[in-house]
Amino acid sequence: MNHTAILLPGIITPAEITYRYLLPAFGGAASVITRDLAIYDKGAPPPDYSFDMEIDAILRTADDAGLDSFHLGGFSGGGAISAAFAARHPDRLASLALLEPAWLGNEDQTDDEIAVRDAIRATEDLPYAESLAAFARLNVADDVELPAPPQGDPPAWMEHRPAGIFAIGPACRDHRLDLDALRSLACPVLYMRGARSNPSMYLRIQERAAKIFPDFTVEIFEDRHHFDPPHRTEPERTANILLEFWNRAETRAR
């Protein structure tokens, strides 16, 4: 069985780099389209950026590929956008995979989740270098030692990427996620999380997601965190989990 899927990256790294280790691990058992985020379609993030642009871009990608139904997945910002698409076009999905989504609506957040969201929002007012460091720190558990920034000049694709962090935050705050649509989602949902990511973000989102989605499965990677994600560091295991999940979704749909 060959599965057809669209995978979205996080807000910083392009799709072809994000999934460069995962794609070969499928071993030809899946036809995967990796689409970079629409926020960068014209270089710098547009001033009127919203999740509606991302939802429309996914829909165009699927239509251009002739896909009536497909598996959708995304990491971090791409996970948040995947959830937004699922709420808007649930009938197009065979399954939904959320790889540490950066957001899952603004309702029913716990106090510690709100505190982290407020801290992330405050990073937008810091000087550039400090803001990136503070943002990274907030995404991982307290005992995680983050690697030093790479030496040398940044790659050309990084020119507009940090600006995407400060564009996606307001987009999350402004977007209304239709939770009723997600509660009635017919397809299964997979949530993947590194145990060393900030639990006040990703564990809390997991707990909220478990109350929203009727068919919900969790996979935890004990030694991983948001900047050491499973699709990069454990691609074979990640691919096997996704293939089994996609197979189950298609078997159930028959």
Side-chain angles (χ1 to χ4, degrees), residues 159-174:
E159 179 182 1
H160 300 297
R161 299 279 161 166
I165 294 175
F166 307 114
I168 201 171
C172 289
R173 295 191 289 269
D174 292 343

Side-chain angles (χ1 to χ4, degrees), residues 21-54:
Y21 300 117
L22 178 63
L23 297 183
F26 287 123
S31 299
V32 179
I33 300 169
T34 57
R35 194 205 191 282
D36 207 359
L37 301 188
I39 192 172
Y40 303 118
D41 278 354
K42 296 182 179 179
D48 58 345
Y49 173 71
S50 71
F51 274 7
D52 289 340
M53 296 179 183
E54 300 288 357

Side-chain angles (χ1 to χ4, degrees), residues 182-202:
L182 295 183
R183 290 188 183 101
S184 61
L185 194 66
C187 69
V189 177
L190 172 67
Y191 189 97
M192 300 174 72
R193 174 174 66 86
R196 302 187 70 204
S197 294
N198 187 343
S200 294
M201 288 183 64
Y202 300 107

Side-chain angles (χ1 to χ4, degrees), residues 20 54 75 80 116 187 196 220 253:
R20 66 186 181 276
E54 300 288 357
F75 168 64
V116 173
C187 69
R196 302 187 70 204
I220 298 175

Side-chain angles (χ1 to χ4, degrees), residues 71-156:
H71 303 285
L72 178 64
F75 168 64
S76 190
I81 291 161
S82 296
F85 182 90
R88 190 74 58 82
H89 300 285
D91 56 310
R92 298 296 295 269
L93 295 186
S95 74
L96 176 65
L98 304 175
L99 288 65
E100 291 205 354
W103 170 88
L104 191 65
N106 302 310
E107 297 77 25
D108 301 326
Q109 293 182 344
T110 61
D111 289 344
D112 57 342
E113 193 176 355
I114 292 170
V116 173
R117 296 299 173 189
D118 288 345
I120 288 177
R121 184 170 187 171
T123 66
E124 298 170 13
D125 300 324
L126 295 173
Y128 176 74
E130 292 179 33
S131 66
L132 292 182
F135 176 82
R137 182 73 261 168
L138 287 165
N139 276 270
V140 297
D142 291 341
D143 63 342
V144 170
E145 183 176 348
L146 290 169
Q151 299 295 314
D153 295 332

